[in-house]
Amino acid sequence: MKKNGAMQKSKQWNVRRAVWLAGVFNFLHSCGSGCLLPFLTLYFRHLGLNAAMIGIIMASKHLLALVWRPLSSVLTRQYDKRRTVIVGSLLSSALVVLTLLLFPSTGIQAESGRCNASQPDADPTPILEWTTVPSQSNATVYSINQTSVITEHPVEVTTLVSSNWSARGLRSLKKPQQEEDPHTEFLGSLKVMDAQHQMFFLVLIVMGLWEFMAAPLEWTADDGLYEYLDFVDATDHHNGVKVWKQLGAAFGNCAVGVLVTSLFCLTGATLEFYSYTIFMILTIPTAALLPIYLRKRERPTSTGFKALQLVYGNSQAILCVVTVILMGMVNSAVSDFLLWHMQDCGATEIHMGISLALAHLSQASFAPIAGHLSRILKYHGWLLVLAVVSLALQCLYYSFLWGPWAVIPAQLLAGFSTGALWWSVTSQSEDIATPGTEKTILKLFEVLSLELGATFGSLAAGFVVQKFGVKVLFQGTAVILALWSSTLAVLKWKIPRQRRINYSRLLATDTELSESESDQEKDWLETAMEDTTRNNKWTNR
């Protein structure tokens, strides 16, 4: 019966068409994400938030995804609501994110003077400058359009980090409130906050709501596709969908960079948000056609706990866990504040978009050479060391940027840092997996890096940038990664490799084994099959 059902299902859905639809879905969704997500911290900077506040906001976003993404994946699978959740997530996240455009800047808006010179007939732009009066320790002089205002209580404004930056205007100056007890009630305490802290809490609430809407999407769609392909015995096609995520993100980065730079004086950074919304809405029709199959079970499986046990019982896997958490911390810090550093070096959105696109293309191009590189290194674990070293070199290079295009050589290394990392992690997952747990183990590594590590990384990076600056952040992460790469290489050499034999995969590999494979791999396969035969004979006796 099961075989007949599989045949009927394969007739109803063509596997090649299903993979094509999934590729289009991932491309459009990644385009939307690439249009907005990398540029969020720049927009928060424009709103007047400092580095520490931005670090807390991004850490909260990752922390919510750490809890809600796996939980929502289980719930949607259990109640068979995957397609509803996917469509609802696309639509709600597309609308909620536009709320951020309603917030005015709490301080000054840095635009590098690129619009003032091209618009001589525009309204006069109020320029804000501030100095501290030496003779009055608590007094601060604000000069707006050459009109000085002296206040006894300093007003928080966004710090200018480049001398050639100008501003469009001061949206609000919060006057100190007197004769009001801030401890009377919660709302009263909010009222006495300065504009910057009010903005911080508003953005934090909206980002939490947005992440709550957007987080279930990726895992829910990916699980539905994987289970459908598994049902028709075509899971080998699943990895081919991933490349479309990188290509979509690269296209989104580059396209929005060109558009925002060309139309900045008319639209500002709002194009990033509208582009995200448009792509999310364009993705909805493909979401409605996605091949999703739910395997009916009487009770939910416990593959998550099984995956934890398998990882905990393998020393090489534990090394991999530590590495992916550390790499997640550093990658989060880089994604949050690299564009800040580029902006300080005079880069505009077109420089940022092209550099981000090159990083994604570098990761996509690593897959064809990963197998050859792994064979040269004799063991995929050394790719993990290569990934750590490459990211350390990237961070060190970032700390010495001198111009808008200077970042490009480091971005080309992304294939050997992020690309090599996930290739090694995937191979490690296959080494320790038992039948049915391969994908769960890989997701465990992903959530540890992209969410848990990113939470700590964003939080720490915000405070480091606030206190010491972006250059110190990148130099510090480079030193930490260099030390860990040396430690990791020694431990990889000392700890023996433990590899669990997955006989179902061996049988599949045996039928597709080509003459080009190495003699070592053939000997290992034949030995495993001989051991199985001996065990079967002993059982029959």
Side-chain angles (χ1 to χ4, degrees):
M1 293 297 294
K2 183 177 180 181
K3 185 176 181 181
N4 292 336
M7 292 177 64
Q8 292 174 2
K9 199 70 178 179
S10 61
K11 290 180 181 178
Q12 181 180 356
W13 283 100
N14 182 278
V15 172
R16 183 174 298 179
R17 179 174 178 269
V19 172
W20 180 81
L21 279 173
V24 174
F25 173 86
N26 283 281
F27 180 84
L28 293 175
H29 179 256
S30 297
C31 280
S33 300
C35 287
L36 179 60
L37 293 183
F39 303 95
L40 271 178
T41 55
L42 283 182
Y43 186 75
F44 296 156
R45 191 187 205 185
H46 150 70
L47 291 180
L49 303 181
N50 58 40
M53 291 178 174
I54 293 174
I56 293 173
I57 291 172
M58 300 306 291
S60 302
K61 175 180 178 295
H62 293 301
L63 183 61
L64 179 60
L66 173 67
V67 177
W68 177 232
R69 182 168 291 153
L71 180 60
S72 62
S73 177
V74 173
L75 293 175
T76 54
R77 186 181 190 280
Q78 184 175 355
Y79 292 100
D80 194 12
K81 297 294 183 183
R82 279 178 171 160
R83 198 178 305 278
T84 303
V85 169
I86 293 171
V87 175
S89 178
L90 287 169
L91 185 60
S92 59
S93 61
L95 299 177
V96 169
V97 74
L98 297 179
T99 309
L100 292 172
L101 296 177
L102 302 178
F103 299 154
S105 173
T106 61
I108 61 174
Q109 183 176 347
E111 311 296 353
S112 305
R114 50 181 169 173
C115 292
N116 295 335
S118 61
Q119 295 178 342
D121 299 330
D123 295 334
T125 302
I127 303 300
L128 173 69
E129 299 175 356
W130 68 274
T131 56
T132 301
V133 181
S135 59
Q136 299 175 341
S137 58
N138 294 327
T140 305
V141 177
Y142 293 89
S143 178
I144 304 175
N145 284 352
Q146 300 179 350
T147 302
S148 298
V149 180
I150 301 178
T151 62
E152 293 295 332
H153 300 275
V155 180
E156 291 194 18
V157 296
T158 306
T159 305
L160 284 178
V161 293
S162 180
S163 59
N164 65 337
W165 282 11
S166 62
R168 285 186 177 177
L170 183 65
R171 301 288 183 90
S172 62
L173 288 175
K174 188 77 175 178
K175 294 183 179 180
Q177 298 184 6
Q178 298 178 355
E179 299 180 358
E180 184 176 347
D181 185 7
H183 303 288
T184 54
E185 57 181 6
F186 177 73
L187 293 178
S189 63
L190 290 177
K191 292 179 181 179
V192 298
M193 286 183 183
D194 56 52
Q196 188 184 42
H197 283 84
Q198 288 181 353
M199 179 63 65
F200 166 70
F201 282 105
L202 288 174
V203 171
L204 186 63
I205 293 171
V206 173
M207 287 297 294
L209 181 60
W210 180 35
E211 186 64 25
F212 182 82
M213 300 295 182
L217 174 64
E218 189 172 351
W219 277 26
T220 302
D222 189 63
D223 288 346
L225 174 65
Y226 184 83
E227 290 192 5
Y228 165 75
L229 293 176
D230 184 44
F231 184 66
V232 296
D233 298 325
T235 52
D236 53 320
H237 292 81
H238 184 260
N239 289 332
V241 177
K242 295 181 180 180
V243 68
W244 291 104
K245 296 182 180 180
Q246 300 291 345
L247 296 178
F251 179 82
N253 293 152
C254 192
V256 81
V258 173
L259 287 176
V260 171
T261 302
S262 303
L263 305 174
F264 187 85
C265 296
L266 297 176
T267 63
T270 59
L271 268 180
E272 297 164 359
F273 291 84
Y274 291 127
S275 299
Y276 174 86
T277 298
I278 291 171
F279 275 111
M280 292 301 105
I281 294 175
L282 289 177
T283 311
I284 292 177
T286 60
L289 298 174
L290 272 181
I292 294 177
Y293 171 74
L294 179 64
R295 208 187 284 264
K296 301 294 183 181
R297 287 187 173 95
E298 295 180 358
R299 59 180 181 178
T301 58
S302 57
T303 55
F305 295 103
K306 181 64 175 177
L308 286 172
Q309 292 175 353
L310 292 172
V311 171
Y312 181 76
N314 189 286
S315 300
Q316 294 284 353
I318 293 176
L319 284 179
C320 195
V321 166
V322 176
T323 303
V324 296
I325 292 176
L326 181 60
M327 295 282 280
M329 293 175 63
V330 176
N331 280 321
S332 177
V334 170
S335 63
D336 288 348
F337 295 105
L338 175 60
L339 299 191
W340 275 42
H341 194 32
M342 292 181 65
Q343 192 176 61
D344 298 344
C345 294
T348 58
E349 285 77 7
I350 190 171
H351 303 102
M352 301 172 189
I354 292 176
S355 64
L356 292 171
L358 288 176
H360 287 294
L361 293 177
S362 176
Q363 294 176 39
S365 62
F366 180 78
I369 66 172
H372 300 287
L373 187 59
S374 181
R375 283 193 288 271
I376 292 174
L377 297 175
K378 304 297 184 182
Y379 172 41
H380 63 75
W382 296 115
L383 283 178
L384 201 63
V385 180
L386 176 64
V388 178
V389 172
S390 299
L391 187 56
L393 293 175
Q394 281 183 281
C395 291
L396 183 63
Y397 186 92
Y398 290 150
S399 65
F400 296 104
L401 295 184
W402 63 91
W405 295 110
V407 73
I408 288 180
Q411 295 297 87
L412 296 177
L413 278 176
F416 291 95
S417 56
T418 306
L421 171 69
W422 291 112
W423 182 272
S424 178
V425 167
T426 302
S427 300
Q428 181 65 56
S429 301
E430 294 174 352
D431 281 356
I432 66 175
T434 57
T437 62
E438 298 92 339
K439 198 168 189 299
T440 305
I441 293 175
L442 183 58
K443 281 191 173 182
L444 176 62
F445 283 119
E446 287 180 356
V447 79
L448 288 174
S449 177
L450 302 179
E451 308 305 345
L452 181 62
T455 299
F456 294 126
S458 293
L459 189 63
F463 286 101
V464 171
V465 172
Q466 180 72 15
K467 189 171 181 62
F468 302 105
V470 180
K471 290 185 178 180
V472 174
L473 171 67
F474 290 138
Q475 291 170 358
T477 53
V479 171
I480 293 173
L481 288 172
L483 293 175
W484 176 245
S485 65
S486 303
T487 305
L488 181 63
V490 173
L491 293 176
K492 282 282 185 183
W493 179 58
K494 291 288 185 182
I495 297 177
R497 180 186 180 189
Q498 302 174 7
R499 184 169 184 175
R500 184 182 298 273
I501 298 177
N502 190 329
Y503 292 106
S504 61
R505 193 187 308 120
L506 286 177
L507 293 172
T509 305
D510 186 38
T511 59
E512 299 177 359
L513 193 62
S514 62
E515 297 180 356
S516 62
E517 290 186 6
S518 64
D519 293 336
Q520 182 179 0
E521 291 177 341
K522 289 182 180 180
D523 294 341
W524 173 80
L525 179 62
E526 292 171 358
T527 302
M529 298 300 294
E530 289 174 1
D531 292 340
T532 305
T533 304
R534 292 194 192 99
N535 292 334
N536 291 336
K537 289 181 179 179
W538 179 261
T539 303
N540 294 332
R541 290 179 184 178

